Amino acid sequence: MPLLLPARLSVRRLAAAAAALAVLPCAHADEARRAQTLEAVSVSGNSVNTLAPSAAPLDASQPTSVIDERFIRDALRFNANFDDIIKYAPSMTVTSPEGTGLGKSEGISLRGFQDGQFNITFDGIPFGDASDLHHTTSAYFSNHVLGQAQIDRGPGGGASIGNATFGGTVALRTRDPASIDGITPYFTAGSWNTRAAGLSVDRNFGETGVFAEVSKESSDTFLAKTRDDRKHLFLKTVSQLGDDTTLSFVSSINRESQNTVQGATLDQIAQSGWRFGLGDDPALQTYTGYNGATYRSSFSYVGISSKLGGWSIDNKVYFNDFDHASSKTTDPTDTDPAHNGVQFYDANGKKTSKAASDVPGKQADNGFHAYGDVLRLARDAGPGRLQIGAWVERNDDARWQTPVDFSTGAATGTKYGFADNYRLKDTTDTFQPYVQYDWKAADGVTVSPGLRYSSVRRGIDAELNKSTPPAPLKASATYDAWLPSISVHDKLSHHWSAYAQVAKGFLAPPINVIQLNGARGLAPELTTNVQVGTAYATSGFNFGADVYHIDFGNYISQTMVDTGAGSESVYVNAGGAVYKGIEFEGTYAFTRQLSVYANASLNQATYKGGTVRVAGTPRATAAIGLIYGDKQGVFGSLMTKMVGAQYGLDNTTDAKGNTVFANSQRLGGYSSVDAALGYRADQGPWGTKGFSVSLDVNNLFNARKLTAFAGNQSVSGAPLYFGLPGRGAFVDMAVKF
């Protein structure tokens, strides 16, 4: 078939170029020695290292890192959040100022894409906040119920569903019921008065396996006066209904209350130390009793997988709800009582009285209910495999905000005569059908053209809209695009593969665009992603490398404006931007128990027509570590994460209200070292079925560095920052009965 020859040679040349990033070892080492060198498990038919923080699978057609359950269990404390699982992977950065697994993350970044610019899925189901797709990490799942995380640093093919596929996908997968019945109580105690306890149950009833868990955690966290309390309930059942049919049910319920922080100025850090957070003086805006939040969430689905008439069928019907109730002073970082003062208004908007020393603020609530269906069908067709399917979702959202006098608890009214700053409802309807064909073009070569249609309709029905002055608004806008893609995967040998990918990406503007502009809004983001890479794996060595280039035809950037209800983050058209970089990761096993892992990335994101860098994009990231472990006995790890310099801002608003693009608030790089050491056995005292005990230490050397820009104080305008949480030590214990 001579027509296939040029494509195959092209792929091999691309593979050779990507492989030139590293020197690959000989693939023909003694098979018996390699089998004893590194234990491996199968993920989607590929061998990945259980000892590695993440590994590149051989069958991937885009840059991919798989984080295995054993690393999740061995290197992280029991109740860490899902963002802690992925933080060591290439091009990932995570900002958790209150401590690992404590409070919500203040930022997750992938290649410089911020949370909301890439997908996060739960057992294949996309989820995120209704307004801008961001995720409150502590409000969903702890790592104790997760069995794997996979990071796809690319848009995927036609079958990759989600609202922000161009930025990649973080795919979280729940762990299945264990094959051995047991009841496992577990406990955690550690720094900052952190206490946690939980109970896991694995039970098999004939053809049905059950995994259930309940847990509770409380902590004072690293930052002063920022209490965090969390309860979590989880249930998963897997039933075999026949040779080809499996029925699954999953339900996760989370309740959390915490005191939220907004950062600290450099003067506050210098005067009060790195633990500056909130305080205990009710005369100040930093009072912990005025700044609190409650998160309630649930995520449930029923899934069925079967085969019928040559088709493989996978369908999940789901319901996801989330509610965030909060109270916050006008500026929770302001320690100057001279900046207090509450003005009261009557129903006509006229000033009635003023309490000069009272503490101003607002109470708010926002919540959504999302329900939908993910249907996937596949079958062999000719010289390949056909995939078709669709994702459909309805998201109903409601939110309000009321100004209050925290000193007395009284509502203040507004200068427009309304009791609320805003009160609105909005909806988002998403529909994404797709088709993809995986064509076995030649021996070892798979060409996968795909096409996905993405339609997002946003509507708003506001009793009081976020506008100046607030007013009713009823408007809607529909954004849609056809998203073609093609990838070529070449299995160069049993241990070595290469890939090339080109795909279109799409992201609808957030609801804020309609709130401020009505039906007139910004055009959606449209991207062209191009990337090539390679993966290599034996029992003793795993390696992956890639280069990427992402071109934005329309880039939506965040800026701050005064809406009459305070400063709000809104979105402006920044024209275009280009993201590009190079990434690699690898693991080498010295013995069956001991391995060394390393990754590095060079990342660049700049706006077109100049040299302004996109804020929040580190110039480089890296990780290196030693991992020791086996099924029984001692296990441990020593991991270092490094993040390069970045800018906190890429635009400001001038006196005329115009957006000016320029970099400021430069943050230097930082690194942090985490350590874990433990022991486990499959038999314990008094006839128990096993036990484990471990010590996890985060930020081992107590590094003190700024990690993210957090905005500006409302009165002084002083810049605010988040920093690395100090050294934290935690002991985990578990016994299986």
Side-chain angles (χ1 to χ4, degrees), residues 544-566:
D546 67 90
V547 294
Y548 67 91
H549 184 280
I550 304 170
D551 187 300
F552 282 83
N554 173 44
Y555 187 89
I556 297 177
S557 180
Q558 286 182 287
T559 191
M560 302 298 293
V561 301
D562 187 351
T563 64

Side-chain angles (χ1 to χ4, degrees), residues 257-336:
S257 60
Q258 62 179 244
N259 299 106
T260 55
V261 295
Q262 304 297 315
T265 68
L266 294 179
D267 286 343
Q268 289 170 336
I269 295 173
Q271 294 170 11
S272 303
W274 288 88
R275 296 195 66 181
F276 178 88
L278 298 173
D280 53 13
D281 186 349
L284 300 178
Q285 294 191 53
T286 53
Y287 180 49
T288 186
Y290 300 149
N291 296 284
T294 300
Y295 299 95
R296 299 187 300 273
S297 74
S298 70
F299 202 125
S300 301
Y301 74 81
V302 176
I304 187 165
S305 298
S306 188
K307 294 181 179 180
L308 181 64
W311 289 92
S312 296
I313 304 170
D314 184 89
N315 191 64
K316 291 186 175 73
V317 179
Y318 66 92
F319 176 77
N320 172 27
D321 74 330
F322 176 89
D323 184 81
H324 173 205
S326 64
S327 63
K328 188 173 73 170
T329 60
T330 300
D331 188 343
T333 70
D334 196 334
T335 56
D336 189 346

Side-chain angles (χ1 to χ4, degrees), residues 228-408:
D228 185 28
D229 294 283
R230 181 180 182 184
K231 299 175 183 177
H232 185 223
L233 180 65
F234 182 85
L235 174 66
K236 181 174 186 178
T237 66
V238 180
S239 302
Q240 197 68 34
L241 303 184
D243 293 339
D244 298 322
T245 303
T246 302
L247 178 68
S248 301
F249 172 75
V250 169
S251 184
S252 176
I253 300 173
N254 197 82
R255 300 290 183 267
E256 182 183 27
S257 60
Q258 62 179 244
N259 299 106
T260 55
V261 295
Q262 304 297 315
T265 68
L266 294 179
D267 286 343
Q268 289 170 336
I269 295 173
Q271 294 170 11
S272 303
W274 288 88
R275 296 195 66 181
F276 178 88
L278 298 173
D280 53 13
D281 186 349
L284 300 178
Q285 294 191 53
T286 53
Y287 180 49
T288 186
Y290 300 149
N291 296 284
T294 300
Y295 299 95
R296 299 187 300 273
S297 74
S298 70
F299 202 125
S300 301
Y301 74 81
V302 176
I304 187 165
S305 298
S306 188
K307 294 181 179 180
L308 181 64
W311 289 92
S312 296
I313 304 170
D314 184 89
N315 191 64
K316 291 186 175 73
V317 179
Y318 66 92
F319 176 77
N320 172 27
D321 74 330
F322 176 89
D323 184 81
H324 173 205
S326 64
S327 63
K328 188 173 73 170
T329 60
T330 300
D331 188 343
T333 70
D334 196 334
T335 56
D336 189 346
H339 295 160
N340 289 353
V342 176
Q343 179 68 59
F344 290 87
Y345 301 88
D346 64 17
N348 296 315
K350 294 183 178 180
K351 296 179 180 179
T352 58
S353 62
K354 185 174 183 177
S357 61
D358 284 8
V359 176
K362 53 196 174 185
Q363 293 178 331
D365 186 271
N366 62 274
F368 67 82
H369 306 280
Y371 39 94
D373 185 278
V374 177
L375 173 65
R376 297 183 181 277
L377 306 173
R379 68 170 300 154
D380 293 333
R385 189 164 180 81
L386 175 66
Q387 300 184 62
I388 60 174
W391 170 44
V392 59
E393 181 183 272
R394 174 63 180 255
N395 194 314
D396 295 317
D397 179 56
R399 51 192 68 211
W400 57 263
Q401 186 187 91
T402 303
V404 296
D405 178 344
F406 278 117
S407 298
T408 64

Side-chain angles (χ1 to χ4, degrees), residues 502-556:
V502 180
K504 291 288 187 179
F506 164 85
L507 178 62
I511 194 66
N512 299 48
V513 171
I514 301 177
Q515 290 170 349
L516 295 180
N517 300 295
R520 310 178 318 277
L522 302 177
E525 291 180 312
L526 297 173
T527 70
T528 301
N529 298 53
V530 180
Q531 47 195 6
V532 297
T534 187
Y536 182 90
T538 68
S539 299
F541 182 71
N542 181 285
F543 176 82
D546 67 90
V547 294
Y548 67 91
H549 184 280
I550 304 170
D551 187 300
F552 282 83
N554 173 44
Y555 187 89
I556 297 177

